């Protein structure tokens, strides 16, 4: 029900949770350390009141976009079709195809 209402993006049977978390952790570990650091900071701001939290998240995202790694990854993501409706529907798969720097 929570998934159907949009409170979460997936629900898994108990036996699939471990492998899913393992795969997710490996995927996160493959991202540039600066991106992971700033994402963790952004999650930390989730407890702020919405306007302030969103401003902080936007600031951190802007910092990341200024890095050479992020700019290279964005160009590659767009070259793979990430900006298209089809690419948006497969964002996780396309992100996984990006070369790791």
């Amino acid at each position: 029900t929570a998934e159907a209402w949009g409170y979460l993006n997936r629900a898994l049977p108990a036996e699939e949770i471990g492998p899913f978390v393992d795969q997710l952790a490996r995927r996160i570990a493959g991202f540039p350390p600066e991106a992971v650091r700033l994402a963790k900071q952004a999650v930390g701001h989730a407890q702020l009141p919405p306007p302030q939290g969103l401003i902080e998240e936007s600031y951190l995202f802007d910092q990341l976009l200024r890095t050479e790694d992020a700019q290279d990854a964005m160009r590659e993501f767009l070259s793979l079709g990430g900006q298209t409706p089809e690419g948006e529907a497969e964002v996780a798969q396309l992100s996984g195809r990006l070369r790791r720097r």
Side-chain angles (χ1 to χ4, degrees):
T1 299
E3 182 181 14
W5 289 355
Y7 290 131
L8 46 93
N9 62 8
R10 68 180 46 89
L12 300 171
E15 65 275 4
E16 292 180 24
I17 293 173
F20 177 84
V21 170
D22 185 59
Q23 180 183 19
L24 178 61
R26 290 177 192 281
R27 183 171 163 232
I28 292 170
F31 289 118
E34 182 69 358
V36 175
R37 184 184 71 75
L38 290 170
K40 286 180 178 181
Q41 254 186 295
V43 169
H45 292 310
Q47 296 182 10
L48 296 172
Q52 184 181 359
L54 292 172
I55 290 168
E56 292 297 327
E57 181 183 1
S58 176
Y59 173 74
L60 294 169
F61 187 67
D62 287 345
Q63 280 186 299
L64 179 61
L65 289 180
R66 288 183 174 90
T67 67
E68 188 175 329
D69 280 346
Q71 291 175 17
D72 289 345
M74 185 58 72
R75 278 190 287 276
E76 185 177 354
F77 182 74
L78 294 175
S79 76
L80 293 171
Q83 76 282 18
T84 65
E86 298 80 16
E88 194 172 311
E90 298 181 2
V91 70
Q93 294 85 351
L94 287 180
S95 296
R97 291 175 48 196
L98 298 177
R99 290 185 298 275
R100 301 296 181 213
R101 289 149 181 86

